[in-house]
């Protein structure tokens, strides 16, 4: 989903950091072998995630929704040398695909995969996080927020993907559209929760950056 005029969008991408070769390979294989490849973060958003992570220099990262590991690798680029990223996904068929690319990168030993429902896995992680990326099933976005907010360190950053949800957030709501309703409620939650300050960015399908006070 592009909210900028196509020519402007192309100019922005052309004048931003180039996508690493390994991620280009991951993208090609995802489109060849995996259903719904549109779920990839993509080269521009990936460079945004990389830059944010590099600015934060996190010791610990939590990612909800691994898919084929593209965003995982982008976020890992900013990890401290002794840092680690924990990524959770419910699709067991993707575990080996993810690991192949994780191990091809410089961050293989720092990336820890967790298979299962994130709401079940999060309470088992006995650690706090400097950076959290939420990009999983939309109906549970608010539940994920409540599950991780106490594990986010003061000053820590939470990035939420798809907060514009293909533009549906400003259209008339279909009562049967559970995902759009969930995104609307989540966006209100981020705006009104006093524990964080948030900024919504119209990048691709919408990214909200929230900082814990």
């Amino acid at each position: 989903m592009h909210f900028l005029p196509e020519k402007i969008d192309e100019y922005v991408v052309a004048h931003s950091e180039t996508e690493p070769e390994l991620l280009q390979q991951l993208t090609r294989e995802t489109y060849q072998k995996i259903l719904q490849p549109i779920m990839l973060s993509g080269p521009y958003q990936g460079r945004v995630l990389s830059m944010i992570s590099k600015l934060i220099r996190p010791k610990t990262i939590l990612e909800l929704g691994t898919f084929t590991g593209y965003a995982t690798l982008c976020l890992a680029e900013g990890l401290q040398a002794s840092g680690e990223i924990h990524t959770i996904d419910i699709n067991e068929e993707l575990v080996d695909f993810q690991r192949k690319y994780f191990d091809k990168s410089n961050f293989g030993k720092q990336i820890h995969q967790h298979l299962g429902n994130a709401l079940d896995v999060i309470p088992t992680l006995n650690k706090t996080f400097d950076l959290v990326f939420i990009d999983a099933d939309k109906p549970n976005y608010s539940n994920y927020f409540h599950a991780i907010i106490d594990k986010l360190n003061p000053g820590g950053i939470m990035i939420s993907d798809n907060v514009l949800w293909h533009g549906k957030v400003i259209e008339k709501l279909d009562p049967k559209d559970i995902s759009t309703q969930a995104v609307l409620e989540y966006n209100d939650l981020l705006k009104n929760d006093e524990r964080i300050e948030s900024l919504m960015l119209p990048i691709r399908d919408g990214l909200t950056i929230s900082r814990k006070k």
Side-chain angles (χ1 to χ4, degrees):
M1 186 71 189
H2 294 204
F3 295 98
L4 289 173
E6 184 176 358
K7 294 295 185 182
I8 292 293
D9 189 86
E10 292 174 353
Y11 185 86
V12 169
V13 171
H15 290 80
S16 296
E17 191 68 17
T18 302
E19 178 186 35
E21 173 60 29
L22 179 63
L23 294 179
Q24 294 178 32
Q25 295 174 17
L26 188 159
T27 297
R28 284 194 295 270
E29 189 170 356
T30 298
Y31 271 85
Q32 290 168 356
K33 299 179 179 179
I34 308 298
L35 294 175
Q36 295 183 296
I38 193 66
M39 291 172 62
L40 280 171
S41 289
Y44 179 69
Q45 182 170 309
R47 293 304 87 204
V48 172
L49 295 176
S50 170
M51 181 65 77
I52 293 172
S53 185
K54 288 171 181 174
L55 290 169
I56 297 169
R57 296 294 294 156
K59 176 82 171 178
T60 50
I61 300 175
L62 174 63
E63 178 187 38
L64 308 185
T66 317
F67 192 45
T68 55
Y70 189 101
T72 318
L73 290 170
C74 295
L75 293 166
E77 292 176 24
L79 276 172
Q80 295 181 25
S82 60
E84 58 185 24
I85 178 168
H86 292 262
T87 183
I88 307 172
D89 201 281
I90 201 167
N91 190 344
E92 62 182 327
E93 295 180 357
L94 294 177
V95 171
D96 291 341
F97 186 103
Q98 298 159 5
R99 178 47 61 184
K100 179 175 72 171
Y101 279 93
F102 294 161
D103 288 344
K104 283 185 176 182
S105 76
N106 296 324
F107 315 107
K109 293 181 180 179
Q110 295 173 273
I111 300 174
H112 304 279
Q113 296 163 281
H114 300 273
L115 178 64
N117 186 314
L119 294 174
D120 296 327
V121 175
I122 292 169
T124 71
L125 301 177
N126 187 26
K127 56 184 72 266
T128 58
F129 298 93
D130 302 314
L131 176 60
V132 174
F133 181 49
I134 302 178
D135 185 19
D137 58 305
K138 308 314 164 207
N140 271 313
Y141 260 36
S142 293
N143 293 329
Y144 294 142
F145 173 87
H146 292 301
I148 63 94
I149 188 62
D150 290 336
K151 289 181 176 289
L152 184 63
N153 291 323
I157 298 296
M158 180 174 64
I159 306 171
S160 307
D161 197 11
N162 305 118
V163 293
L164 293 177
W165 200 227
H166 318 301
K168 292 181 180 180
V169 291
I170 60 170
E171 297 175 355
K172 183 177 180 180
L173 180 65
D174 180 346
K176 298 180 181 179
D177 189 347
I178 297 173
S179 292
T180 300
Q181 179 63 48
V183 172
L184 289 168
E185 292 174 358
Y186 181 71
N187 289 340
D188 288 341
L189 172 62
L190 295 186
K191 170 65 176 176
N192 296 317
D193 194 294
E194 295 184 353
R195 291 170 292 183
I196 57 172
E197 51 184 336
S198 296
L199 180 66
M200 184 180 287
L201 303 174
I203 293 173
R204 290 302 187 259
D205 198 26
L207 284 176
T208 293
I209 301 177
S210 304
R211 176 185 175 274
K212 188 172 180 181
K213 298 178 181 177

